[in-house]
Amino acid sequence: MSSAKKRLPKKVYERELLRLQAELVKVQEWVRVEGARVVVIFEGRDAAGKGSTIKRVTEFLNPRVARIVALPAPTERERTEWYFQRYVEHLPAAGEIGLFDRSWYNRAGVERVMGFCTNQEYARFMHQCPIFERLLVEDGVLLRKYWFSVSDSEQEARFRSRLEDPMRRWKLSPMDLESITRWEDYSRAKDEMFVHTDIPEAPWYVVESEDKRSARINMIAHLLSTIPYDDVQRAPLALPHRPASKGYERPPREMQTQVPDHAAKLAR
């Protein structure tokens, strides 16, 4: 059976997604009031649906509370720092949620496969990563790690779709395309990463992502199930009465530079 036939019906997906997003808003308020710190790591194959899932998670959240962390390649200076150092400064403070669109696991994935780190640096990462994550959890951080899994045929189909779509072609890079020829290398790297970093304090949760709709629903529902949030009651708000005018007059529009009314041309 093809993945298209297994696709979650759109109406079912949209109804459940909206319900889950309403719960995420409750989580956000609980995090803010309780001063909790939440870190959610999104890792997985290229084109596995990480970015689109993050968009659905944050769609109705306050970006001051739920921040997306998507770091570029390290600078020359950052390459001389302790490997985890540039990620530490992006960890959430009290009342914040950090959503890592890729993370420190770059070293166990792309850097390992593409030869961007030495064997010594890789071995040091595998040793230090569980220690680093245990320290985070011990300090009270709610750390959740998700691996988005997709088949080689589905990944190639998504790459091809992006290649033919000018609105999404920017999502493709030479590095992404090379992942097709290095599929087994990435598979071995992921398996070895799991051996060292799938720890009781911070386990990996695998999200089957052949169907993006199901993947988003499953990931969000699971995240909600792991956070001990309550529906925090907010203080009631009411719009105040607008006071009577004290004689203010708005300057003529002609005195200001107006944006051309492009919409009016469309209406005609």
Side-chain angles (χ1 to χ4, degrees), residues 133-241:
E133 292 182 352
R134 286 189 181 103
L135 290 174
L136 294 180
V137 173
E138 182 181 301
D139 203 60
V141 173
L142 299 177
L143 175 60
R144 304 293 182 265
K145 305 186 309 194
Y146 291 96
W147 176 270
F148 286 71
S149 179
V150 68
S151 67
D152 53 353
S153 58
E154 180 63 22
Q155 183 194 56
E156 185 172 347
R158 293 177 186 178
F159 279 163
R160 204 172 297 281
S161 174
R162 290 179 180 182
L163 200 59
E164 297 168 355
D165 184 351
M167 301 296 283
R168 296 190 300 147
R169 197 173 297 154
W170 64 269
K171 290 186 174 184
L172 277 180
S173 69
M175 196 84 66
D176 295 329
L177 298 178
E178 191 161 350
S179 66
I180 294 178
T181 61
R182 294 176 178 263
W183 179 269
E184 290 192 3
D185 294 336
Y186 275 103
S187 295
R188 293 188 184 96
K190 174 256 183 182
D191 292 343
E192 187 171 355
M193 179 186 79
F194 269 43
V195 168
H196 292 274
T197 63
D198 187 18
I199 58 176
E201 298 88 346
W204 278 106
Y205 298 107
V206 177
V207 182
E208 294 297 335
S209 191
E210 289 294 286
D211 172 24
K212 287 187 178 182
R213 291 175 184 171
S214 296
R216 295 163 191 161
I217 294 296
N218 293 339
M219 180 269 155
I220 298 173
H222 180 269
L223 176 64
L224 291 170
S225 74
T226 68
I227 298 180
Y229 70 99
D230 297 313
D231 187 1
V232 177
Q233 297 300 314
R234 303 186 185 188
L237 298 175
L239 288 176
H241 293 291

